[in-house]
Amino acid sequence: MATRTSERPSKGAAGPIELIPAKNSRGRSTALIVYLVLIFFALLYIFPFLIQIGTSFKSDAEATASPLNPIPMVWQLDAYRTLAGQDFPRWFLNSVIVSVCVTAGRVFFDSLAGYALARLHFFGRKALGGVIVSVIAVPGVVLLIPKYLVLVELHMYNTYAGMIIPLIADAAGVFIMRQFFLGIPAEVEEAARIDGAGTFRLFWSVVLPMARPAVITITILSFQASWNELAHFIVSRRDPALNTLTSGVASLSSGAYGSGNLFPLKMAAALLMTIPVALVFFSFQRYFVRGAGAGAVKG
Amino acid sequence: MSITQGMGPAQVPAAVATADGDVTPPKRRRSGIRGSENRAGLLFAAPAFVLILLFLIGPVLLALWVSLTDWSGKGSPLGANFIGAKNYDTLLGSPNLQQRDLATALRNNMYYVLLVVPLQTVLALILAMAINRQRLRGKGFFRTAFYFPSVTSTVAISVVFLFLFTASGAVNSVLAWFGINGPNWFADPRGVGHLILSGLGLVDTANPPAWLADHDFLGISWFQWIAGPSVAMCALITLAIWTTAGTFMLIFLAALQDIPADVEEAAMVDGANRWQRFRNVTLPALKPTMFLVITLGLIGTWQVFDQVYLMSQGKPSKTTLTPAYLSFQTSFQDGKWGQGTAIAFILFVIIIVMTLIQRFVMRDRDSSRKPWWRRRREAALTGSDV
């Protein structure tokens, strides 16, 4: 009781406790249980990452000998040196190229289409809106073979275009942008329109800046999704030079680099590919949290 | 004018109304601007829709066509021989290897769904309820710890789990503390269902009872259907629960924060104990969210592909084969494109059914937009029944 900080006095957060003071000790013991449960699960969630980091600095022999201890007896950078000498930098570069293009494309086209669906009155708007909503439900995995067939038909198989352009088609993003634009009052546009702004200018310099939270959400979700995408890169290319981090590390994990377990190497690769997404995650956490909720409820 | 403030989801319906209400008068007054708007609208929407048409709708139609042909992967699929529903008949009609593989994949995925969906839902709810405590320290830390795996790459996490689950790996080291001799996870095809049944002395796995072994469904015997997930599949199941619980935890957390504190307080004043409050206040309020999480889980778990591709490729003894991976394998490795796309369509139907269930549930939720406690309160005031 004494340690209570009055962070949210208006909510009456401590009301129940004050009503039933006799149960205070019981409240304390359940609090202890809650902490124990949370700490147990936090360990389960964090420990694999610690093992990953530690193992990446071990020798092959030590990784196999003490798989549970995250702290190496002898720290070494062999795994990282090997990675730097292999195709890894190339995979990294490919991942950057693909993710940046997909993210830029999605943000631009999703917001354009979302704006049109929300604010412009054109023939077929209702029908296109219906298409968007129904297409969100199409399961991605089922489209693997079909997408390959279309890429071959369009002569885009084994090209950057084939890896990037299909990922830009993003119905959920259009939907999120549309929902956001619907919430911006119409008066804003009226004023600018009277000043003589054209439709694109209206969209680009007036409405889009106001949609910043939605744009940031889409940017982050698109970057994360394209950086982590695997299945599409398996079916849209064969050339090893076009490997992204995901498809490259996948080939690494299936033993493309000769015999032996090579666990430090694999852990180092996994760690390095996690870092960019982790950086984005920790800097924009609140958008991640909101995006997860929005995507789930609206999807 | 407050413009950018407070654009939460709650505001959206109101905004729709004003936008729509705004439509009619200007239409008459400024037909010139509306005319250019027609063109601009089509122009703005075109890129996204051309992409969606080319890479979502187009592929579905092309694959539907291929699933009705005997295309071998050479030349254009458009010129392939039309053979009607033969591919579907091979898969579903009469017992053969293809049918056995599909049935095995369906069985494996069924156990995956049956274990992952309830366990991840319960874990997500437990974590959300624990984090939702008003005076918890380190809330942000715990939330981050549980959600972080959901945003990182499946590839990276799968690589880590492959290491954790090796025969002499971290998981078996922990099991050894408790005197358990852990299995060689990714090489163990034994079904957990069979292990339990034989452990209880009910069934001899080497010599199954005739009534189970002699009847079959889709080409595999009843005895095979009740095998349960293999030990290898259990590792994949653990991975799935571990990674996805965080996402669903956030959804539960949002819903829990929507329950007004006074409802809980009222229950407390009425003398309800902790369990009664959970049972009669929290759980009913979470019902729509619960349905949402379960249906999203169902849709997601029927699509499992990445982990199988990365960790097991259907091995050992096809016990981690799933329909998504089987369709990929049939097409890309065996070159039987017609059959592969047919499997994809069978999976498509399964997932669409799951999606329709979700749609149905969500519509139900939308129509009763007002929270239950408000409806009940209003009902109490007006004296009507809920």
Side-chain angles (χ1 to χ4, degrees), chain B residues 6-329:
Chain B
M7 230 116 44
Q11 247 93 346
V12 172
V16 176
T18 47
D20 281 348
D22 182 53
V23 170
T24 6
K27 217 175 210 165
R28 264 183 291 114
R29 267 187 286 139
R30 289 172 301 165
S31 58
I33 285 176
R34 291 297 166 196
S36 76
E37 220 172 74
N38 199 11
R39 209 173 41 216
L42 282 172
L43 215 61
F44 279 25
F49 279 97
V50 169
L51 287 176
I52 285 170
L53 208 66
L54 267 180
F55 295 111
L56 283 171
I57 299 169
V60 174
L61 298 177
L62 189 58
L64 188 60
W65 161 251
V66 170
S67 78
L68 302 172
T69 70
D70 62 354
W71 189 53
S72 64
K74 292 192 186 76
S76 167
L78 295 172
N81 287 329
F82 181 79
I83 56 166
K86 215 173 141 200
N87 286 320
Y88 293 92
D89 190 52
T90 310
L91 289 167
L92 301 171
S94 55
N96 56 39
L97 181 65
Q98 284 82 15
Q99 189 187 67
R100 261 204 311 283
D101 281 354
L102 177 63
T104 308
L106 287 171
R107 177 202 65 183
N108 297 339
N109 212 335
M110 177 187 82
Y111 283 116
Y112 182 86
V113 172
L114 282 177
L115 281 167
V116 171
V117 174
L119 289 175
Q120 80 188 3
T121 308
V122 169
L123 177 60
L125 183 59
I126 289 174
L127 295 179
M129 301 238 345
I131 286 183
N132 194 42
R133 284 177 69 90
Q134 251 132 17
R135 283 172 299 151
L136 184 83
R137 280 167 198 278
K139 233 180 242 196
F141 164 76
F142 288 120
R143 208 177 47 198
T144 305
F146 301 140
Y147 185 52
F148 184 61
S150 309
V151 301
T152 54
S153 141
T154 319
V155 178
I157 287 176
S158 296
V159 169
V160 175
F161 266 63
L162 273 173
F163 178 55
L164 297 179
F165 278 90
T166 49
S168 59
V171 173
N172 281 354
S173 307
V174 172
L175 288 178
W177 296 348
F178 303 96
I180 302 168
N181 199 359
N184 186 0
W185 293 88
F186 287 104
D188 198 333
R190 287 175 300 165
V192 171
H194 281 172
L195 287 177
I196 292 172
L197 286 176
S198 72
L200 294 172
L202 292 173
V203 165
D204 176 14
T205 17
N207 201 2
W211 64 277
L212 280 173
D214 293 349
H215 297 82
D216 69 293
F217 175 63
L218 281 175
I220 64 173
S221 71
W222 288 4
F223 187 64
Q224 284 307 313
W225 277 102
I226 62 158
S230 68
V231 173
M233 185 57 112
C234 286
L236 294 185
I237 288 170
T238 311
L239 171 74
I241 297 167
W242 189 81
T243 38
T244 45
T247 314
F248 293 134
M249 172 199 74
L250 281 188
I251 299 175
F252 275 130
L253 209 51
L256 282 171
Q257 282 162 358
D258 274 353
I259 304 176
D262 57 331
V263 178
E264 187 120 340
E265 272 168 40
M268 218 176 252
V269 173
D270 288 349
N273 65 29
R274 205 175 289 276
W275 168 249
Q276 283 169 329
R277 289 202 305 272
F278 174 73
R279 179 77 190 70
N280 298 318
V281 178
T282 316
L283 218 47
L286 283 182
K287 214 168 136 190
T289 316
M290 190 74 87
F291 273 122
L292 172 74
V293 165
I294 290 172
T295 40
L296 284 177
L298 284 173
I299 295 167
T301 44
W302 276 107
Q303 296 196 52
V304 55
F305 172 84
D306 288 10
Q307 294 93 321
V308 178
Y309 177 88
L310 285 157
M311 299 171 85
S312 62
Q313 283 100 32
K315 285 173 271 190
S317 305
K318 297 182 180 172
T319 57
T320 60
L321 200 62
T322 64
Y325 188 76
L326 179 67
S327 109
F328 169 81
Q329 202 181 37

Side-chain angles (χ1 to χ4, degrees), chain A residues 35 45 121 123 182 210 228, chain B residues 3 15 34 38 137 151 242:
Chain A
Y35 277 114
Y45 269 80
H121 305 270
F123 180 75
L182 283 173
M210 292 172 66
N228 290 342
Chain B
I3 293 162
R34 291 297 166 196
N38 199 11
R137 280 167 198 278
V151 301
W242 189 81

Side-chain angles (χ1 to χ4, degrees), chain A residues 4 8 11-13 16-17 19-20 27 30-31 34-35 37-39 41-42 44-46 48-49 51-52 55 63-64 67-68 109 112-113 115-117 119-123 125 128 131-135 137-151 153-154 156 165-166 168-169 171 174 179-180 182-188 190 193 199-200 203 210 224 228 230-231 234-235 246 249-250 253 263 266-267 270 273-274 277-278 281-282 285 288-289 292 296-297 299, chain B residues 1 3-4 7 12 15-16 20 22-23 30 33-34 36-38 40-42 44-45 47-49 51-52 54-60 62-63 66 71 76-78 123 126-127 130-131 133-137 141-153 155-157 159-160 162-164 166 168-170 173-174 177 241-242 245-247 250-251 261 265 268-269 274 292 296 303 305-306 309-310 324 327-328 331-332 337 340-341 344 347-348 351-352 355 358-359 362 365:
Chain A
R4 182 168 74 90
R8 292 191 295 174
K11 279 246 173 177
I17 306 296
L19 283 170
I20 313 162
T30 47
V34 166
Y35 277 114
V37 168
L38 282 175
I39 289 168
F41 278 107
L44 275 187
Y45 269 80
I46 292 169
F49 290 109
I51 290 182
Q52 177 192 19
T55 305
T64 317
L68 194 56
F109 294 131
L112 260 186
Y115 179 72
L117 289 180
R119 310 304 285 247
L120 302 177
H121 305 270
F122 63 95
F123 180 75
R125 176 172 85 144
L128 290 185
V131 169
I132 285 289
V133 172
S134 55
V135 155
V138 176
V141 157
V142 177
L143 286 174
L144 279 187
I145 304 169
K147 266 192 193 169
Y148 164 80
L149 297 175
V150 167
L151 287 176
E153 279 296 291
L154 296 174
M156 279 163 68
I165 297 174
I168 294 176
V174 174
Q179 293 306 94
F180 198 89
L182 283 173
I184 296 177
E187 290 83 9
V188 187
E190 297 294 320
R193 192 176 278 148
T199 313
F200 184 79
F203 160 74
M210 292 172 66
Q224 180 229 352
N228 290 342
L230 167 69
I234 295 175
V235 300
T246 48
V249 175
S253 90
F263 282 121
K266 292 173 187 171
M267 294 302 119
M273 74 188 288
T274 308
V277 148
F281 173 71
F282 286 111
Q285 245 199 73
F288 260 104
V289 171
V297 175
Chain B
M1 270 200 300
I3 293 162
T4 44
M7 230 116 44
V12 172
V16 176
D20 281 348
D22 182 53
V23 170
R30 289 172 301 165
I33 285 176
R34 291 297 166 196
S36 76
E37 220 172 74
N38 199 11
L42 282 172
F44 279 25
F49 279 97
L51 287 176
I52 285 170
L54 267 180
F55 295 111
L56 283 171
I57 299 169
V60 174
L62 189 58
V66 170
W71 189 53
S76 167
L78 295 172
L123 177 60
I126 289 174
L127 295 179
I131 286 183
R133 284 177 69 90
Q134 251 132 17
R135 283 172 299 151
L136 184 83
R137 280 167 198 278
F141 164 76
F142 288 120
R143 208 177 47 198
T144 305
F146 301 140
Y147 185 52
F148 184 61
S150 309
V151 301
T152 54
S153 141
V155 178
I157 287 176
V159 169
V160 175
L162 273 173
F163 178 55
L164 297 179
T166 49
S168 59
S173 307
V174 172
W177 296 348
I241 297 167
W242 189 81
T247 314
L250 281 188
I251 299 175
E265 272 168 40
M268 218 176 252
V269 173
R274 205 175 289 276
L292 172 74
L296 284 177
Q303 296 196 52
F305 172 84
D306 288 10
Y309 177 88
L310 285 157
S327 109
F328 169 81
S331 296
F332 284 89
W337 294 88
T341 43
L347 181 59
F348 188 70
I351 296 170
I352 289 297
T355 311
Q358 190 216 352
R359 281 281 165 82
M362 294 311 286
R365 188 186 161 206

